C-alpha cells in the first residue's frame, strides 16, 4: 500500500505544493518546493552472464568460457544493465527459468522466482544483489535437485501495478554437482573429483587375467561440442520420444539418467551411439580395436543424423558412457573384470564342454565366459534402496540382456553385489553372476556330458580393475565386489544369493543331479602347462608340460600311464573358440616322487592366419588314465605380445607453440607389417585426430615419425598413438604431457 500512496503524491503535485505553502509561510507565497519528476519505467539495456567467472567457480571452465555452464545447488552471478538505477521496493524483478519442450512448474521444468534480499533454502532464488549506478549485480541459485539440461532464462520487469515487460536474458546449461553436499552425486573428496569428473583421459584394462594390458583412452568430455551431444543422446532415447515432458521431469534423478544413458550408448533398441559387432568382419565400419577415444565416436554419431557408429565392443561402450556421465557431472570410472560370466539363465553356473581330443566345443546355450568384460561405476546416493547401498553403482551399456524391456543394465549397488542382496534393483542378479558364477567343465562324448573335469568356484570375476586415482597404475578392486575366494563369508554370500535366484525355479542346470554329486574324484596326477619364453606374435611358441604323481585312493603310490591329447584354438573375446590349429598326443609313465617336464612346440605357421585381432590362443590338454578311464584337464591361455612403440617429446610444452613429437616403432616380428596407419589423439593437445599412412614396415626394420603438435589447453594431458596394420590391429602407446601457459615472447 505504501508504494501506491507514494505514487499518488507524485501525481498530485499541485495539492502538495498548496499544503507546503501553508506549512512554510515564512518563505512567502511565491515559494514552492521542487516537484519530483515521474520515474521512468525500468528498461533492460543489456545483460552479462559472466560466463568466464561463473564457469571457473562451477568447475566447467574446461568446456569453454563463451557460454554459461553451471552446476546445480550453487549460486552464479549475472549483471543487468538498465536505463536508470534499480529501486528495490518499487521496481519488481521476476526471473523465469525453463527447460524441455513444454515447461511446467509442476514437473520441475519451469521455475519462477522474484528478487529477494536473502536466499530461501533449496529453491530457485535471486538474491544477494548489489546496485552500481545503472547496473545490478545479482546471484541466482538453482536447487540441488533441479532438472539438469539446457535452460532459457527470462526477466519480467514491473513497477507496482503497472504493466510488466519480459526480456530474454540468454541460455545456460545446468549439470549435476558432485561438489555439493545436497546433490545426490556428492563425492566428498577433491582428489577423487579430480579423477572421476575432471580427468579427460584414462585407461581401459583388456586382455587376460595373466596378461592384462592398459589401453589408453581419450574421454574428451570437455571438448566444446560434447556437452551438446550428451543432451542429444538424452533427447533420442525411447523414454523421451514416448513422453518428452515426463522424461524431462525425471532428469533431476541420477538413477534415471544413468539408465537412459546405459540404454542409449548401444543401439539395440533405438538410435543409440554404437552398434555392437562381436564377429570378425568390420569392413562396413571401424574395428572396435581401432578407436583411440570417445570424441570421434560421439561426433560421428551426431554429424551423421544420429545413426549408430560402427562398431563397438564392451570397452568401447563403457569408455563412451564414461565420457557422457563425467560430462553431465556424475563421478564415473571404467571397470574391467577378467573371466566375466554371462549367465543368461540365472542359475549361477556356466557350463563349458571339451571332447576327448581336448577341443573346446561350441554350445547352443547363450551362457559364456568373456575373457574380460568392461562396465562402468557411477557414484550416487540410492534413495530408492534401504540405507547402506550408496556409493559406487554398476552400469553396463553393453547390450547383453534387457532390463525393463530395454537393453541396459544397472545401476546395481556394488555393496549389494558384495553382500549377495540380489533382490535389490537394478539388475543385481545379473551383475552378481558376472563376478561370482561357478564354472563347470564337462567331458562330452556320444552326444552327452560324461563326466565333470573341473568344478571351479573361484575362476570367475578375476582381477577386477580400474585406473588408480592420480596415477597411471592399475588398481585391483576385486575385494569391493566379493569376499576372498573360498572364505566362509564368500561361500555364505554365494549360498544366500543362490537361494534367492534359484528359489522361483527349483532348478539350476540340466545336469544338476550330476553336479550335485560333487566334483571330480581325487586325481592320481597333477598337470601344468608353462610358457618357456615370452610369447610374441610371429614367432614359434615354446611350452613345457609339467606332470607329477600324487597319491590317490585307487593307485596309492604305484606308477600310472597317461595318454595326453593337446589342442590349440584361437580364443574369441566372448569366450568361444575356432577350429583347432594344432594338435599333439603324448604318452607318459609317471612314477611316484618323480616329475616329468616335456617340451611342446607350437609353430608360427600353425597360427599365422588363424587368430582373431586380439591374438589369444587356448592350449588344452585332456589326460586319460589308461587303467581307470578317468580324465584330467590342463589349460593354458596365451596372449601374444605385439611390437612396442616409443613416444618422445622434444621440449617443454606450451599452449600454441609447436611441440615436436617423435614416434619410433621397430618391427620385431619375422613378417612385414603391411598397410600401416597411425592415428594420434589427445584432448587439449589436438583438435580431433591426426592420421597418417605409413606404408609397410619390413621385418626387423625401424620407422621413425616426427609430428608437430600445437597444444590447445594447459595442464596434464595425454597423447594417445595407435598404429594399425593388416597383420596387427592394435599397437598402442601413450605419453603424459604437461602443458604450460604460453610465455610472453
Amino acid at each position: 500500500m505504501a508504494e501506491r500512496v507514494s505514487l499518488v503524491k507524485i501525481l498530485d503535485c499541485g495539492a502538495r505544493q498548496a499544503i507546503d505553502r501553508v506549512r512554510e509561510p515564512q518563505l512567502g507565497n511565491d515559494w514552492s518546493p521542487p516537484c519530483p519528476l515521474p520515474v521512468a519505467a525500468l528498461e533492460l539495456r543489456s545483460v552479462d552472464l559472466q560466463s568466464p567467472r561463473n564457469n571457473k567457480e562451477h568447475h566447467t571452465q574446461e568446456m569453454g568460457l563463451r557460454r554459461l555452464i553451471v552446476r546445480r545447488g550453487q549460486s552464479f552471478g549475472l549483471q543487468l544493465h538498465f536505463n536508470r538505477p534499480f529501486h528495490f521496493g518499487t521496481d519488481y524483478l521476476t526471473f523465469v527459468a525453463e527447460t524441455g519442450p513444454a515447461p511446467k512448474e509442476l514437473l520441475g521444468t519451469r521455475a519462477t522466482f522474484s528478487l529477494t534480499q536473502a536466499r530461501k533454502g533449496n529453491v530457485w532464488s535471486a538474491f544477494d544483489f548489489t546496485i552500481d549506478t545503472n547496473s545490478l549485480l545479482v546471484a541466482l541459485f538453482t536447487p540441488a535437485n533441479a532438472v539438469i539440461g539446457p535452460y532459457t532464462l527470462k526477466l519480467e520487469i514491473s513497477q507496482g501495478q503497472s504493466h510488466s515487460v519480459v526480456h530474454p536474458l540468454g541460455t545456460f546449461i545446468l549439470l549435476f554437482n558432485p561438489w555439493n553436499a545436497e546433490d545426490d552425486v556428492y563425492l566428498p573428496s577433491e582428489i577423487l573429483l579430480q579423477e572421476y569428473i575432471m580427468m579427460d583421459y584414462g585407461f581401459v584394462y583388456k586382455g587376460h587375467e595373466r596378461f592384462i594390458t592398459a589401453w589408453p583412452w581419450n574421454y574428451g568430455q570437455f571438448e566444446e561440442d560434447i556437452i551438446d551431444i550428451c543432451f542429444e543422446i538424452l533427447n533420442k532415447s525411447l523414454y523421451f520420444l514416448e513422453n518428452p515432458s515426463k522424461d524431462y521431469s525425471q532428469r533431476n534423478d541420477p538413477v534415471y539418467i544413468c539408465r537412459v544413458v546405459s540404454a542409449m550408448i548401444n543401439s539395440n533398441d533405438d538410435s543409440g551411439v554404437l552398434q555392437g559387432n562381436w564377429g570378425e568382419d568390420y569392413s562396413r565400419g571401424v574395428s572396435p580395436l581401432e578407436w583411440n577415444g570417445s570424441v570421434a565416436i560421439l561426433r560421428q554419431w551426431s554429424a551423421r543424423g544420429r545413426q549408430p557408429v560402427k562398431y563397438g565392443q564392451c570397452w568401447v561402450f563403457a569408455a563412451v558412457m564414461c565420457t557422457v556421465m563425467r560430462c553431465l557431472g556424475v563421478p564415473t570410472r571404467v571397470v574391467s573384470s577378467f573371466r566375466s560370466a554371462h549367465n543368461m539363465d540365472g542359475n549361477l553356473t556356466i557350463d563349458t564342454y571339451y571332447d576327448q581330443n581336448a577341443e573346446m566345443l561350441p554350445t547352443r546355450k547363450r551362457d559364456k565366459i568373456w575373457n574380460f568384460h568392461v562396465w562402468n561405476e557411477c557414484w550416487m546416493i540410492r534413495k530408492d534402496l534401504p540405507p547402506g547401498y550408496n556409493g559406487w553403482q554398476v552400469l553396463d551399456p553393453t547390450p547383453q540382456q534387457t532390463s525393463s524391456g530395454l537393453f541396459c543394465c544397472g545401476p546395481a549397488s556394488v555393496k549389494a553385489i558384495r553382500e549377495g542382496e540380489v533382490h535389490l534393483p537394478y539388475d543385481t542378479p545379473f551383475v552378481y553372476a558376472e563376478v561370482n558364477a561357478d564354472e563347470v567343465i564337462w567331458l562330452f562324448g556320444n552326444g552327452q556330458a560324461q563326466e565333470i573335469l573341473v568344478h571351479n568356484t573361484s575362476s570367475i570375476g578375476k582381477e577386477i580393475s580400474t585406473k588408480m586415482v592420480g596415477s597411471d597404475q592399475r588398481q585391483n578392486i576385486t575385494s569391493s565386489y566379493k569376499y576372498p575366494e573360498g572364505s566362509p563369508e564368500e561361500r555364505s554370500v554365494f549360498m544366500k544369493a543362490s537361494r534367492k535366484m534359484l528359489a522361483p525355479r527349483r532348478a539350476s542346470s540340466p545336469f544338476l543331479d550330476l553336479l550335485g554329486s560333487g566334483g571330480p574324484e581325487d586325481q592320481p596326477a597333477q598337470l601344468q602347462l608353462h610358457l618357456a619364453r615370452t610369447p610374441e606374435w610371429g614367432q614359434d611358441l615354446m611350452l613345457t608340460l609339467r606332470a607329477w604323481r600324487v597319491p590317490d585312493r585307487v593307485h596309492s603310490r604305484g606308477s600310472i600311464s597317461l595318454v595326453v591329447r593337446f589342442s590349440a584354438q584361437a580364443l574369441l573375446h566372448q569366450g568361444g573358440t575356432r577350429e583347432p590349429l594344432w594338435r599333439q598326443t603324448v604318452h607318459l609313465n609317471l612314477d611316484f616322487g618323480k616329475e616329468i617336464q616335456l617340451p611342446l612346440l607350437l609353430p608360427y605357421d600353425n597360427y599365422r592366419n588363424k587368430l582373431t585381432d586380439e591374438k589369444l590362443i587356448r592350449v588344452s590338454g585332456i589326460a586319460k588314465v589308461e587303467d581307470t578311464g578317468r580324465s584330467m584337464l590342463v589349460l593354458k591361455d596365451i596372449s601374444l605380445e605385439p611390437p612396442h612403440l616409443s613416444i618422445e617429446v622434444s621440449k617443454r610444452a606450451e599452449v600454441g607453440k609447436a611441440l615436436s613429437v617423435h614416434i619410433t616403432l621397430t618391427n620385431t616380428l619375422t613378417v612385414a607389417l603391411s598397410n600401416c596407419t597411425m592415428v594420434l589423439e589427445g584432448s587439449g593437445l589436438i583438435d580431433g585426430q591426426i592420421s597418417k599412412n605409413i606404408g609397410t614396415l619390413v621385418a626387423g626394420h625401424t620407422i621413425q615419425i616426427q609430428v608437430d603438435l600445437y597444444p590447445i589447453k594447459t595442464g596434464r594431458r595425454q597423447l594417445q598413438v595407435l598404429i594399425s596394420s593388416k597383420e596387427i590391429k592394435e599397437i598402442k602407446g601413450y605419453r603424459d604431457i604437461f602443458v604450460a601457459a604460453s610465455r610472453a615472447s
Side-chain angles (χ1 to χ4, degrees):
M1 191 65 189
E3 291 81 356
R4 185 175 296 174
V5 170
S6 65
L7 188 60
V8 170
K9 286 180 179 178
I10 292 170
L11 295 175
D12 196 8
C13 188
R16 203 182 95 181
Q17 288 175 337
I19 293 169
D20 287 337
R21 279 196 293 270
V22 172
R23 288 178 175 173
E24 305 289 346
Q26 68 272 27
L27 297 177
N29 290 333
D30 293 332
W31 180 89
S32 64
C35 180
L37 296 173
V39 177
L42 189 68
E43 296 177 1
L44 182 70
R45 294 291 167 83
S46 65
V47 60
D48 180 5
L49 297 179
Q50 300 187 321
S51 300
R53 190 189 78 181
N54 287 321
N55 289 8
K56 288 177 182 177
E57 292 178 354
H58 285 249
H59 308 281
T60 62
Q61 71 272 21
E62 285 281 315
M63 297 180 183
L65 302 176
R66 292 186 299 103
R67 54 179 176 167
L68 183 60
I69 304 171
V70 293
R71 300 187 186 276
R72 64 187 193 175
Q74 182 177 342
S75 62
F76 61 93
L78 52 84
Q79 187 171 25
L80 306 172
H81 300 279
F82 298 109
N83 61 320
R84 63 166 174 79
F86 169 77
H87 298 141
F88 185 74
T90 58
D91 296 324
Y92 297 97
L93 303 183
T94 301
F95 294 86
V96 180
E98 296 179 327
T99 188
K104 293 181 182 178
E105 294 195 20
L106 189 63
L107 295 175
T109 51
R110 185 178 195 270
T112 304
F113 49 103
S114 298
L115 182 65
T116 57
Q117 290 181 317
R119 183 160 69 86
K120 302 174 181 178
N122 187 37
V123 294
W124 289 87
S125 308
F127 67 105
D128 192 24
F129 60 90
T130 302
I131 301 170
D132 180 12
T133 61
N134 288 6
S135 295
L136 179 70
L137 292 165
V138 61
L140 269 57
F141 177 82
T142 62
N145 60 348
V147 167
I148 65 163
Y151 278 79
T152 59
L153 185 63
K154 295 180 285 188
L155 176 66
E156 183 180 305
I157 303 175
S158 63
Q159 290 167 282
Q161 301 297 315
S162 64
H163 177 68
S164 62
V165 180
V166 177
H167 300 271
L169 297 182
T171 61
F172 67 93
I173 294 175
L174 190 63
L175 303 176
F176 291 110
N177 191 353
W179 281 267
N180 187 285
E182 301 301 315
D183 199 304
D184 284 352
V185 299
Y186 174 57
L187 181 58
S189 165
E190 184 61 31
I191 294 174
L192 297 184
L193 287 166
Q194 289 301 313
E195 181 71 44
Y196 298 132
I197 291 288
M198 302 303 295
M199 185 68 72
D200 62 1
Y201 61 85
F203 298 94
V204 178
Y205 295 99
K206 298 176 55 193
H208 187 275
E209 61 173 307
R210 293 190 181 92
F211 313 101
I212 297 175
T213 301
W215 179 276
W217 192 270
N218 180 37
Y219 296 123
Q221 69 267 32
F222 300 128
E223 295 294 302
E224 205 154 324
D225 53 346
I226 295 301
I227 189 169
D228 301 304
I229 297 172
C230 289
F231 287 110
E232 278 186 61
I233 290 170
L234 297 182
N235 289 345
K236 281 294 177 180
S237 78
L238 294 181
Y239 294 104
F240 175 83
L241 297 176
E242 182 179 309
N243 191 333
S245 295
K246 182 181 178 183
D247 170 72
Y248 257 83
S249 73
Q250 296 181 87
R251 292 188 185 182
N252 65 329
D253 180 6
V255 171
Y256 177 78
I257 291 288
C258 285
R259 282 184 66 76
V260 171
V261 174
S262 173
M264 278 300 298
I265 296 299
N266 70 72
S267 59
N268 281 39
D269 308 294
D270 41 45
S271 299
V273 175
L274 280 158
Q275 181 176 323
N277 186 342
W278 288 268
E280 296 167 54
D281 180 8
Y282 306 118
S283 58
R284 295 187 176 184
V286 176
S287 164
L289 294 169
E290 295 185 57
W291 296 113
N292 261 348
S294 307
V295 176
I297 295 169
L298 291 168
R299 284 177 174 167
Q300 180 179 320
W301 176 80
S302 177
R304 297 185 181 178
R306 276 72 70 184
Q307 291 299 308
V309 176
K310 301 174 181 179
Y311 294 102
Q313 290 184 10
C314 63
W315 68 91
V316 186
F317 290 115
V320 173
M321 182 162 182
C322 183
T323 296
V324 173
M325 298 313 299
R326 286 187 183 180
C327 184
L328 296 177
V330 179
T332 304
R333 62 188 185 183
V334 174
V335 173
S336 300
S337 176
F338 293 87
R339 305 207 81 243
S340 179
H342 183 184
N343 186 209
M344 291 297 293
D345 53 18
N347 65 358
L348 287 176
T349 301
I350 306 294
D351 300 304
T352 54
Y353 306 90
Y354 287 81
D355 67 12
Q356 63 181 0
N357 295 315
E359 179 183 343
M360 184 178 174
L361 303 174
T363 172
R364 292 180 181 177
K365 294 181 67 175
R366 292 190 294 166
D367 286 6
K368 57 176 70 80
I369 301 172
W370 301 86
N371 300 328
F372 67 94
H373 185 53
V374 186
W375 57 72
N376 300 98
E377 287 179 3
C378 294
W379 181 276
M380 69 190 73
I381 290 171
R382 291 297 300 273
K383 293 177 179 176
D384 58 324
L385 300 184
Y389 298 101
N390 298 333
W392 290 117
Q393 314 288 321
V394 171
L395 277 300
D396 189 349
T398 299
Q400 296 188 85
Q401 68 173 23
T402 58
S403 173
S404 301
L406 294 179
F407 277 94
C408 66
C409 179
S413 164
V414 174
K415 179 71 177 299
I417 295 164
R418 188 174 195 259
E419 300 300 330
E421 302 296 350
V422 293
H423 62 288
L424 297 176
Y426 290 89
D427 310 303
T428 309
F430 183 78
V431 182
Y432 180 86
E434 284 186 303
V435 298
N436 284 293
D438 282 4
E439 178 186 20
V440 181
I441 302 177
W442 302 82
L443 181 65
F444 194 86
N446 299 321
Q448 64 180 3
Q450 296 179 330
E451 63 176 295
I452 295 176
L453 296 170
V454 178
H455 176 196
N456 202 328
T457 62
S458 61
S459 64
I460 302 295
K462 308 292 286 185
E463 296 290 329
I464 303 175
S465 303
T466 192
K467 177 185 176 296
M468 189 175 290
V469 174
S471 165
D472 287 351
Q473 300 301 307
R474 180 177 66 91
Q475 181 182 359
N476 187 324
I477 58 170
T478 309
S479 61
S480 66
Y481 279 82
K482 51 187 175 181
Y483 290 96
E485 294 285 5
S487 67
E489 295 90 345
E490 185 267 336
R491 281 292 97 184
S492 174
V493 167
F494 185 85
M495 293 309 297
K496 176 172 69 173
S498 299
R499 285 192 294 269
K500 290 178 180 178
M501 293 174 68
L502 300 178
R505 285 165 291 186
R506 299 293 178 189
S508 55
S509 82
F511 307 110
L512 181 61
D513 294 338
L514 187 55
L515 179 58
S517 66
E521 298 175 5
D522 292 340
Q523 298 290 4
Q526 292 287 324
L527 305 176
Q528 291 181 355
L529 278 170
H530 295 274
L531 285 165
R533 67 183 183 194
T534 301
E536 294 186 13
W537 194 87
Q539 297 183 1
D540 295 344
L541 303 181
M542 306 291 295
L543 297 100
T544 301
L545 173 67
R546 291 181 58 213
W548 64 97
R549 261 300 265 122
V550 292
D552 66 300
R553 290 193 298 267
V554 177
H555 298 90
S556 184
R557 293 172 178 265
S559 63
I560 59 170
S561 297
L562 300 178
V563 178
V564 189
R565 293 180 172 86
F566 291 100
S567 171
Q569 296 168 273
L571 187 59
L572 308 179
H573 173 54
Q574 66 267 40
T577 54
R578 286 179 172 176
E579 292 292 315
L581 53 85
W582 171 83
R583 294 183 189 274
Q584 188 166 330
T585 302
V586 299
H587 296 264
L588 301 176
N589 289 309
L590 294 181
D591 294 320
F592 190 81
K594 293 184 178 179
E595 178 181 308
I596 292 177
Q597 294 195 11
L598 184 72
L600 299 171
L601 175 68
L602 201 170
Y604 167 61
D605 285 342
N606 281 64
Y607 71 80
R608 177 172 185 169
N609 298 314
K610 304 290 180 60
L611 304 185
T612 67
D613 290 337
E614 293 186 336
K615 304 292 186 279
L616 283 168
I617 297 175
R618 171 163 292 176
V619 179
S620 314
I622 298 281
K624 192 168 187 178
V625 183
E626 290 191 332
D627 57 345
T628 66
R630 294 286 295 177
S631 298
M632 294 176 285
L633 176 70
V634 60
L635 298 174
K636 184 67 176 179
D637 291 342
I638 303 170
S639 176
L640 301 179
E641 288 273 329
H644 296 279
L645 58 83
S646 67
I647 305 168
E648 298 296 331
V649 178
S650 60
K651 59 181 180 180
R652 181 177 185 264
E654 290 183 33
V655 169
K657 301 287 181 67
L659 178 67
S660 186
V661 176
H662 298 270
I663 300 158
T664 303
L665 174 64
T666 299
N667 183 1
T668 56
L669 309 182
T670 57
V671 295
L673 298 177
S674 59
N675 300 328
C676 294
T677 60
M678 180 182 71
V679 178
L680 283 73
E681 190 168 333
S683 288
L685 296 171
I686 301 168
D687 183 11
Q689 296 177 324
I690 296 174
S691 299
K692 283 182 177 290
N693 290 318
I694 52 180
T696 297
L697 182 54
V698 177
H701 284 219
T702 297
I703 188 170
Q704 292 183 324
I705 306 161
Q706 191 248 317
V707 180
D708 284 341
L709 307 181
Y710 293 84
I712 305 161
K713 295 180 180 179
T714 61
R716 288 187 300 165
R717 305 292 165 190
Q718 187 183 82
L719 175 67
Q720 293 101 11
V721 179
L722 169 67
I723 294 179
S724 297
S725 68
K726 180 181 177 183
E727 291 74 20
I728 299 180
K729 294 297 183 187
E730 47 173 330
I731 302 174
K732 269 211 151 191
Y734 73 95
R735 180 64 182 258
D736 292 338
I737 299 172
F738 183 83
V739 180
S742 179
R743 292 180 290 193
S745 54

